[in-house]
Amino acid sequence: MDDDGDPKQETPKQRPRDSLGEGQEAPDYLSAQPYASSNGLTTPSTPGLSRSGSTSDLSAFEGFGGENFPPLDRLTMFDVLENFALPQRLEKMQTALQQQAEKVRVQRRKLTTRALSSKNVVVEEWRKRVPSTPDEQLDRYRKRMKETVDRLGKRWNDQKIVSLKEKVSFVTAVLNIFISGYLIGAFPEYFHYWYTAQLAYYMPIRWYTYHKIGYHYFLADLCYFVNLLLVLSIWFFPQSKRLFISTYCLAFGNNAVAIAMWRNSLVFHSLDKVTSLFIHIMPCATLHVLVHLIPRSLQESSFPAIASIRYSPSTAPEHYSLSAMIIWATLPYALWQLSYHFLITVRKRPQIAAGRPTSFTFLRRSYKNTVLGKFVLGFPDALQEPVFMGIQYTYALLTMLPCPIWFWYRWASAGFLMIVFTWASWNGANFYIEVFGKKMEKELESLRREVARMAKSPELGGDDGLGSQVGSPLGSPAGPEGKEQSGLDGTLEGGNSSALDLGPPAKVDGDGATLEHRASGSRGSTGGEAGTPSAEKNVRFSSDSYGSSVGIGESAKSK
């Protein structure tokens, strides 16, 4: 049969794409349609079953994420994996929000604290400036005076311990001079015992004190080394002539002249100054006694080196000349200088650079404006210490030049010791008159300024800081208790008065208010206007009181 007449041959079903007209595309069932949404929130509508209400409720979700979410056929594995990072993003956002909230809380606390502080300042300033009652000002005055007395009492108590030390030092120094003079004149054979006992007393105190304040590098100076040599010569090696002569030259040379170089002074109440003077002058006094004052028999038995040198013939080797003295004194000096350089200057260089003082740094600072100081400072830093060491050795040699005179002639040695001791006494006199006197003058000046400040204080003078006067114990024409007195001489008319009753009582009207205080409301002053008797009396009293206080300070200063 023909195709048209064959009943079994069916016409193939036309596919949707074939049924479309030219220029039309096949519908995409995965894309959004009027009857189906791409996100699956809606389904194809069924005729007769659709409700307009449901369509309107879901219409808001049809366009959600249309731009951000691609169609399902375009999704990739990376899009799926990206969703797993969502909790981390949420956690980061939460952390950022928490940090921002913490910043806001901190800022709020700062603002609250600043506001409270400003409020307290404003309230305190307002309390100072707003006129207060006389009772409040009296309480404030009493509180201020109590604080001043407590502060002075604390300073006084702190000074008690210091004063006790100064008293002990004063007594010790005076007894030292008395006992030393008595032993030199009456019992010279025991003087070296007295010297050793004093050395055992002063040295531990000096060691502890200097370690406490950081001055312990001074304990390695030559003066302490000379005292060590003298102890060795007296108690351990009395037969060593070379040790004795080197000790003698260094003691009468470097130690004695150092009293003038280091400005040692005889200040009885200062244990530090007394100790410094003892270290420099007592070795010389001890050697003077051992060489010139003790008998020959004791020298031969206890100090054979001294007897061998002193009573030897001029041609004997032990009859030391100046050159021999300098040579033998140079050896222990060189030992000390090299030891000091390597153990202190080199080994402790970081501590010295950090500010720990030594004799070199002290002299460089003290004599920097002198010719010798400028000469040393003119060299580079690396050469200043070697130059200083050379100058110090030259100074030691120069001080040794007259040592043969001090050794062979008794009265020359005594005269030299008298000059050195007089120099130390002169330095002590300068300290007491100039330094100590200026210190007391500064304290009196500080007291005078304190009195002036209290006299001019707004709280005590009645000035509230706003140009008005308020009633106060010192500025009011009426005393705090309202008791009568005729004048400034303290003659009472209406009974006894306390020390704060500084004027006549205020006049009281019928309702109990003072006329002066009531009048102050109109003229802004409770002390009375200029020219009134009460105002003149207040001014006269304030000037007299202040003048008497200043007069006390000036008279003490002149004395």
Side-chain angles (χ1 to χ4, degrees), residues 131-141 470-473 476 478-480 517:
S132 57
T133 62
D135 293 336
E136 293 179 357
Q137 292 192 359
L138 180 60
D139 294 339
R140 189 180 305 171
Y141 169 76
V470 295
S472 68
S476 177
H517 290 179

Side-chain angles (χ1 to χ4, degrees), residues 82-138:
E82 187 178 2
N83 293 330
F84 291 102
L86 183 60
Q88 298 179 358
R89 294 183 180 179
L90 293 176
E91 185 178 357
K92 290 183 179 179
M93 294 174 61
Q94 185 178 3
T95 304
L97 290 176
Q98 292 178 354
Q99 293 178 353
Q100 190 66 21
E102 184 65 23
K103 290 182 180 179
V104 172
R105 285 194 293 268
V106 172
Q107 188 68 18
R108 185 192 304 171
R109 286 196 296 266
K110 289 183 179 180
L111 292 176
T112 303
T113 304
R114 189 177 302 172
L116 291 177
S117 178
S118 301
K119 176 184 175 182
N120 295 334
V121 172
V122 172
V123 170
E124 186 67 23
E125 188 67 21
W126 177 80
R127 288 179 178 177
K128 290 181 179 180
R129 293 178 177 271
V130 171
S132 57
T133 62
D135 293 336
E136 293 179 357
Q137 292 192 359
L138 180 60

Side-chain angles (χ1 to χ4, degrees), residues 222 248-258 261 322-323 325-327 329-330 333 372 388-406 416:
L222 182 61
Y248 187 92
C249 292
L250 292 175
F252 271 84
N254 182 86
N255 267 32
V257 182
M261 295 295 296
L322 175 61
S323 59
M325 288 184 176
I326 292 177
I327 292 174
T330 300
Y333 180 88
L372 188 60
F388 174 75
M389 292 168 59
I391 295 176
Q392 193 174 21
Y393 178 67
T394 304
Y395 154 78
L397 292 180
L398 293 176
T399 57
M400 293 179 193
L401 293 179
C403 284
I405 301 176
W406 317 142
F416 176 71

Side-chain angles (χ1 to χ4, degrees), residues 268-288:
F268 293 102
H269 74 279
S270 176
L271 180 62
D272 180 69
K273 295 183 180 298
V274 170
T275 305
S276 299
L277 182 60
F278 166 82
I279 292 170
H280 290 90
I281 199 171
M282 284 302 288
C284 303
T286 304
L287 289 172
H288 172 79

Side-chain angles (χ1 to χ4, degrees), residues 139-169:
D139 294 339
R140 189 180 305 171
Y141 169 76
R142 288 174 176 172
K143 181 180 179 181
R144 187 170 181 179
M145 291 299 298
K146 184 177 181 300
E147 292 177 354
T148 303
V149 172
D150 292 341
R151 186 171 63 253
L152 293 176
K154 183 178 180 181
R155 292 178 56 187
W156 177 263
N157 292 331
D158 293 339
Q159 291 294 329
K160 284 184 178 180
I161 299 177
V162 179
S163 299
L164 180 60
K165 293 180 180 179
E166 292 176 347
K167 292 176 182 178
V168 173
S169 175

Side-chain angles (χ1 to χ4, degrees), residues 477 516 519 523 525-540:
E516 285 82 354
R523 65 175 181 259
S525 174
T526 62
E529 296 179 352
T532 61
S534 60
E536 294 176 357
K537 183 176 292 185
N538 286 334
V539 173
R540 185 169 65 254

Side-chain angles (χ1 to χ4, degrees), residues 38-58:
S38 61
N39 50 18
L41 296 176
T42 59
T43 57
S45 60
T46 304
L49 297 178
S50 63
R51 294 181 298 179
S52 59
S54 300
T55 305
S56 62
D57 291 338
L58 298 176

Side-chain angles (χ1 to χ4, degrees), residues 8-271:
K8 294 182 179 180
Q9 187 176 0
E10 298 177 356
T11 303
K13 294 182 181 181
Q14 188 176 5
R15 292 179 298 178
R17 185 179 296 275
D18 297 336
S19 63
L20 294 176
E22 185 178 359
Q24 296 180 356
E25 295 181 359
D28 189 357
Y29 295 101
L30 299 177
S31 63
Q33 299 295 334
Y35 53 86
S37 63
S38 61
N39 50 18
L41 296 176
T42 59
T43 57
S45 60
T46 304
L49 297 178
S50 63
R51 294 181 298 179
S52 59
S54 300
T55 305
S56 62
D57 291 338
L58 298 176
S59 62
F61 297 94
E62 292 180 357
F64 178 77
E67 297 179 357
N68 298 330
F69 297 94
L72 293 178
D73 59 345
R74 298 180 183 177
L75 290 176
T76 63
M77 182 61 65
F78 296 102
D79 297 327
V80 177
L81 295 176
E82 187 178 2
N83 293 330
F84 291 102
L86 183 60
Q88 298 179 358
R89 294 183 180 179
L90 293 176
E91 185 178 357
K92 290 183 179 179
M93 294 174 61
Q94 185 178 3
T95 304
L97 290 176
Q98 292 178 354
Q99 293 178 353
Q100 190 66 21
E102 184 65 23
K103 290 182 180 179
V104 172
R105 285 194 293 268
V106 172
Q107 188 68 18
R108 185 192 304 171
R109 286 196 296 266
K110 289 183 179 180
L111 292 176
T112 303
T113 304
R114 189 177 302 172
L116 291 177
S117 178
S118 301
K119 176 184 175 182
N120 295 334
V121 172
V122 172
V123 170
E124 186 67 23
E125 188 67 21
W126 177 80
R127 288 179 178 177
K128 290 181 179 180
R129 293 178 177 271
V130 171
S132 57
T133 62
D135 293 336
E136 293 179 357
Q137 292 192 359
L138 180 60
D139 294 339
R140 189 180 305 171
Y141 169 76
R142 288 174 176 172
K143 181 180 179 181
R144 187 170 181 179
M145 291 299 298
K146 184 177 181 300
E147 292 177 354
T148 303
V149 172
D150 292 341
R151 186 171 63 253
L152 293 176
K154 183 178 180 181
R155 292 178 56 187
W156 177 263
N157 292 331
D158 293 339
Q159 291 294 329
K160 284 184 178 180
I161 299 177
V162 179
S163 299
L164 180 60
K165 293 180 180 179
E166 292 176 347
K167 292 176 182 178
V168 173
S169 175
F170 190 94
V171 173
T172 304
V174 173
L175 289 178
N176 188 1
I177 295 177
F178 174 77
I179 297 174
S180 298
Y182 180 77
L183 290 177
I184 290 175
F187 303 98
E189 62 272 12
Y190 298 112
F191 190 83
H192 59 284
Y193 291 98
W194 173 241
Y195 161 75
T196 306
Q198 291 185 87
L199 190 68
Y201 169 75
Y202 284 116
M203 285 300 99
I205 298 177
R206 171 57 61 92
W207 184 87
Y208 172 78
T209 304
Y210 273 25
H211 268 269
K212 186 177 181 180
I213 62 179
Y215 281 6
H216 48 277
Y217 290 167
F218 284 108
L219 299 177
D221 286 350
L222 182 61
C223 53
Y224 298 93
F225 182 70
V226 172
N227 282 268
L228 176 61
L229 293 180
L230 182 56
V231 171
L232 294 176
S233 179
I234 292 175
W235 299 106
F236 297 95
F237 306 103
Q239 72 281 358
S240 177
K241 296 183 289 294
R242 296 169 181 174
L243 176 61
F244 174 81
I245 202 64
S246 60
T247 303
Y248 187 92
C249 292
L250 292 175
F252 271 84
N254 182 86
N255 267 32
V257 182
I259 294 176
M261 295 295 296
W262 289 85
R263 302 185 183 95
N264 292 150
S265 54
L266 182 60
V267 179
F268 293 102
H269 74 279
S270 176
L271 180 62

